[in-house]
């Protein structure tokens, strides 16, 4: 039985895992979970993930509910390239881990919050955009981008160091693409280093990058149409 992958491409970590599976030809059965329809709260899905989040996997009865754990598991199970998550070089592994831990309250935290302030919360509540909150998260993102530039990408091509992509880059690029969805991508494009890294990761992961981000592109276009009428 192939790996069953539960995901929604509106979810940043879902996209990262999807890209990885496709890039590495890992056989899987697609099990889409429509967040916008609340399918992640269904009793059926809670049997897979009691936390009602995506992504998740079911590998012949073995279930995992966290994206980073999923990728580490898949890498070891299929003996995939060591560059994705180094197994034999302690320092290289630690560098990838460093970013994966840092991202939660930084890349992931602030990009997701700005996206919610501009799109999710106004739509859910029917209230105007809270500009004070928007500006707060814009400033946080500027700090985060500066830290990506000055620390994680200082004198190196990838977030985890080394000369090849790692899973850190997949998670990082997917989080920053939330800014593209809501027309805030200028916040990372103002950094030549971060912009160059983004473009390089996109190029090296295509056509799967574009495949995984089709909903992000659509959201970008719809958001542009809506804001142009305001």
């Amino acid at each position: 039985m192939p790996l069953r992958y539960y995901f929604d491409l509106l979810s940043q970590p879902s996209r990262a895992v999807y890209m990885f599976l496709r890039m590495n030809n890992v056989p899987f059965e697609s099990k889409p979970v429509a967040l916008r329809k609340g399918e992640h709260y269904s009793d059926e899905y809670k049997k897979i993930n009691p936390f009602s989040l995506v992504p998740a996997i079911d590998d012949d009865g073995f279930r995992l509910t966290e994206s980073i754990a999923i990728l580490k598991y898949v890498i070891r199970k299929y003996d995939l390239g060591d560059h994705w998550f180094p197994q034999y070089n302690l320092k290289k592994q630690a560098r990838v881990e460093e970013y994966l831990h840092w991202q939660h309250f930084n890349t992931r935290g602030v990009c997701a919050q700005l996206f919610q302030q501009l799109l999710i919360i106004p739509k859910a509540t029917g209230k105007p955009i809270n500009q004070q909150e928007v500006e707060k998260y814009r400033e946080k993102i500027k700090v985060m981008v500066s830290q990506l530039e000055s620390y994680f990408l200082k004198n190196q091509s990838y977030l985890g160091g080394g000369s090849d992509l790692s899973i850190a880059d997949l998670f990082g690029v997917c989080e920053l693409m939330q800014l593209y969805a809501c027309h805030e991508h200028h916040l990372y494009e103002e950094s030549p280093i971060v912009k160059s890294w983004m473009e390089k990761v996109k190029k090296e992961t295509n056509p799967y990058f574009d495949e995984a981000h089709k909903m992000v592109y659509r959201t970008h276009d719809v958001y542009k149409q809506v804001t142009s009428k305001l």
Side-chain angles (χ1 to χ4, degrees), residues 146-176:
S146 175
Q147 291 171 341
L148 283 178
E149 179 180 277
S150 63
Y151 185 77
F152 289 100
L153 293 172
K154 183 179 181 180
N155 300 322
Q156 56 191 34
S157 300
Y158 299 98
L159 293 178
S163 57
D164 295 292
L165 284 171
S166 74
I167 60 174
D169 297 289
L170 300 189
F171 284 109
V173 77
C174 288
E175 295 298 340
L176 285 172

